[in-house]
Amino acid sequence: MTPFPKAAKRTVVGLVVVAAALTAFGTAPTAAAGRGRAAAPAVRTGSAEALSEPARPINRLRALFGSENRTMPTQRRVVALTFNAAWDVEGVDTTLDVLRRYHVPATFFLTGDFADRHPAAARAIAAAGYGIGNHSYSHPHFETLRPGERAAEVLRADHAIRTATGTTPLPFFRFPYGDTTPQEIGEVNALGFADIEWTTDTNGYRGPRGGMSVRKVVQRALDALRPGEIIQMHVGSDGQSTVLDADALPQLVEAIRAHGYDIVDLRGILDPTQKTAAQ
């Protein structure tokens, strides 16, 4: 991996990109990326009202700042599916096909390196209308980096995702490995991103070699089932012959619904009136 240039000029350019994104999103001067403008897919979100709670501050993004957000702020029986993309594209087509067939929304957290290496896959996700978040550029352990290096990881990924997808990504950042500290969350917030983690990881990325199976993937998600659950899955196999999260997705969707839960769009935490439900 080529190190991110440290020249001041590149840093300024990155900050300008974020400032421009803020204008599109319409938030206060410290916020960064805006909501994606791609057409939403025909997804079933349990209606746009599924995440509607009593009146909240107008700036819902800022309401997420300062927190490690591992659930959606709702008491309704809804969950959100999220997929990390950092390795290969083995499960992308299957995942998109299942989401389309079941009319299910999802959010994808891409690394900038993934967007650079697999621009066609990144474009396909964006073209299908799914929300896209930032998962750093090279997926490092953030505690090993200096503040400036952490900022560079976020900004470089933001630029790579915009370039690959041609869309404005969500102002959502997911830390590599889910490792966060209050200081690092504050740094990400200062760049205009809310930290969005997960309630549970299916561990499908470990694959059969790591002792996982389709049944175990589904069960891990169900074991953590609660209002506002955020499920983390992956679209890559990390060199294995099967992508368990993609293979398990149909059973997972059916099991969630069988338990009386709806699958909603994570973007609803920013705008519960957003029209992403199938008409």
Side-chain angles (χ1 to χ4, degrees):
M1 182 192 71
T2 303
F4 181 65
K6 296 183 179 179
K9 181 177 179 181
R10 296 288 181 87
T11 301
V12 170
V13 170
L15 292 173
V16 168
V17 168
V18 172
L22 188 77
T23 301
F25 189 63
T27 57
T30 56
R35 284 169 287 182
R37 302 301 182 187
V43 297
R44 195 186 104 180
T45 65
S47 85
E49 288 74 27
L51 290 180
S52 296
E53 299 294 324
R56 292 182 179 275
I58 293 176
N59 196 329
R60 288 173 175 263
L61 175 62
R62 284 187 173 278
L64 301 173
F65 284 5
S67 301
E68 182 185 62
N69 299 289
R70 292 193 173 274
T71 60
M72 294 178 288
T74 182
Q75 293 303 312
R76 299 184 183 277
R77 293 168 67 86
V78 296
V79 303
L81 298 179
T82 67
F83 295 85
N84 292 355
W87 307 310
D88 51 63
V89 297
E90 295 304 313
V92 171
D93 288 345
T94 299
T95 298
L96 292 179
D97 179 62
V98 173
L99 293 174
R100 182 168 50 250
R101 285 192 288 112
Y102 280 84
H103 305 295
V104 173
T107 302
F108 292 77
F109 286 84
L110 277 55
T111 66
D113 177 61
F114 177 92
D116 279 344
R117 288 185 294 108
H118 305 294
R123 283 195 300 273
I125 295 169
Y130 297 106
I132 297 179
N134 186 320
H135 196 34
S136 80
Y137 186 82
S138 62
H139 207 277
H141 289 279
F142 264 43
E143 70 272 16
T144 67
L145 306 179
R146 295 187 296 272
E149 294 171 327
R150 291 194 286 264
E153 279 282 335
V154 177
L155 295 176
R156 187 182 181 192
D158 183 77
H159 178 71
I161 292 169
R162 290 169 183 272
T163 299
T165 65
T167 62
T168 301
L170 294 166
F172 293 164
F173 181 79
R174 174 168 287 172
F175 281 84
Y177 309 102
D179 294 335
T180 69
T181 67
Q183 176 181 333
E184 292 165 5
I185 290 174
E187 292 169 0
V188 168
N189 293 163
L191 295 173
F193 296 84
D195 173 37
I196 304 293
E197 299 302 330
W198 65 90
T199 314
T200 188
D201 188 321
T202 62
N203 284 352
Y205 70 91
R206 294 182 178 178
R209 291 203 304 258
M212 292 302 295
S213 65
V214 165
R215 181 187 63 80
K216 290 180 179 179
V217 164
V218 174
Q219 193 59 51
R220 279 186 61 84
L222 295 181
D223 285 345
L225 196 59
R226 68 194 68 173
E229 178 188 13
I230 300 174
I231 300 172
Q232 175 173 277
M233 307 176 81
H234 293 76
V235 299
S237 64
D238 195 20
Q240 298 195 48
S241 59
T242 184
V243 184
L244 287 180
D245 282 332
D247 292 344
L249 190 54
Q251 292 185 36
L252 177 58
V253 170
E254 292 174 3
I256 289 171
R257 291 175 173 171
H259 280 74
Y261 277 74
D262 233 331
I263 299 171
V264 299
D265 199 314
L266 188 59
R267 287 175 285 193
I269 63 177
L270 291 180
D271 181 6
T273 66
Q274 182 170 292
K275 301 301 182 182
T276 54
Q279 301 301 319

